[in-house]
Amino acid sequence: MIYVSAKLDYLDTVMGEFRNVAWRVDDGEAVYQQWENRKKGGAILYDEPAIEFARKIQDANTRIVVRSNDNTEQFGVRGSTKAVDKVLENCRR
């Protein structure tokens, strides 16, 4: 099982079990999903959707953009391929 989790440096509270998240690689098409809220803030994605997310990080050239509610964050992907490869290898994916 693979987990993808995001927690930012601001008060990140969303009521309910899930939140709507949109993400995209570089300038590609947005992917819309529901991620499970974590009790201590942030959100989590797991199983096949998390593997898809990890594979898209591998394919990225410069960045992943993630929007949760009214907050949008950009994450550079430089140097991430080896780390993602290791995670997927451990998951045998």
Side-chain angles (χ1 to χ4, degrees):
M1 184 176 293
I2 181 173
Y3 292 90
V4 174
S5 178
K7 185 174 179 186
L8 306 175
D9 292 333
Y10 58 87
L11 182 60
D12 180 37
T13 57
V14 176
M15 300 306 285
E17 290 185 49
F18 297 94
R19 71 174 68 197
N20 294 322
V21 174
W23 59 268
R24 65 182 167 87
V25 173
D26 300 322
D27 293 320
E29 293 292 319
V31 175
Y32 298 91
Q33 295 174 318
Q34 283 196 325
W35 289 22
E36 185 176 323
N37 283 323
R38 297 180 64 210
K39 291 180 182 179
K40 294 184 179 182
I44 193 164
L45 181 68
Y46 49 90
D47 295 329
E48 287 302 319
I51 292 168
E52 174 192 356
F53 186 78
R55 287 185 176 142
K56 293 294 183 178
I57 292 171
Q58 286 179 312
D59 294 340
N61 292 316
T62 57
R63 64 186 178 167
I64 297 286
V65 180
V66 179
R67 185 180 71 231
S68 173
N69 296 327
D70 294 332
N71 300 300
T72 302
E73 296 290 331
Q74 294 186 46
F75 302 93
V77 296
R78 184 177 182 190
S80 65
T81 302
K82 287 181 184 179
V84 173
D85 286 346
K86 187 175 180 178
V87 169
L88 291 175
E89 180 181 311
N90 287 330
C91 294
R92 293 173 175 55
R93 301 294 181 142

